[in-house]
Amino acid sequence: QVQLVESGGGSVQAGGSLTLSCVGSGYIYEDYGMAWFRQAPGKEREGVATISRGGVTYYADSVEGRFNITRDNAKNTLYLQMDTLKPEDSAMYYCARRGEKYGLAASLAIGLYKYWGRGTQVTVSS
């Protein structure tokens, strides 16, 4: 069945960089848009970045210019390169797959995403 496994989380100081990876299995990877969400303690889960089936990207305002989402369909892998990290970026980061194949627009609407990984923790210290 569909499985998403994140890796690459860790602890860094403010201003540092980190790259997250998500390996998908159980589906034809390139057929679906993918996204990264994050959730901090006591906060709602929020969209971070997404890349559509057609390669269109969209970023939350809070990470625009600092994060970069890419996908390697040959490796069934989604990446999130995070630069100039801030303490407010600290959260559990989740990889997610859209529930339907055919949307071309990039969107961080959480209801569009049906499958989720277990998460990888990112901690940014001051």
Side-chain angles (χ1 to χ4, degrees), residues 12-18 66 82-87 89 124-126:
V12 297
Q13 290 189 316
S17 298
L18 204 60
R66 299 189 298 117
M82 304 182 292
D83 297 321
T84 319
L85 284 161
K86 303 175 180 180
D89 294 319
V124 184
S125 59
S126 300

Side-chain angles (χ1 to χ4, degrees), residues 21-86:
S21 299
C22 171
V23 178
S25 61
Y27 67 100
I28 301 172
Y29 189 86
E30 63 267 31
D31 283 353
Y32 296 88
M34 303 288 292
W36 290 96
F37 289 76
R38 67 188 182 187
Q39 188 168 20
K43 302 289 186 179
E44 293 294 306
R45 190 168 297 189
E46 64 175 347
V48 176
T50 185
I51 183 165
S52 76
R53 182 172 180 267
V56 178
T57 59
Y58 178 78
Y59 298 88
D61 289 344
S62 59
V63 306
E64 181 74 51
R66 299 189 298 117
F67 290 11
N68 186 42
I69 187 170
T70 58
R71 63 190 298 167
D72 186 339
N73 291 334
K75 297 180 179 179
N76 290 358
T77 302
L78 179 73
Y79 301 95
L80 183 67
Q81 182 178 349
M82 304 182 292
D83 297 321
T84 319
L85 284 161
K86 303 175 180 180

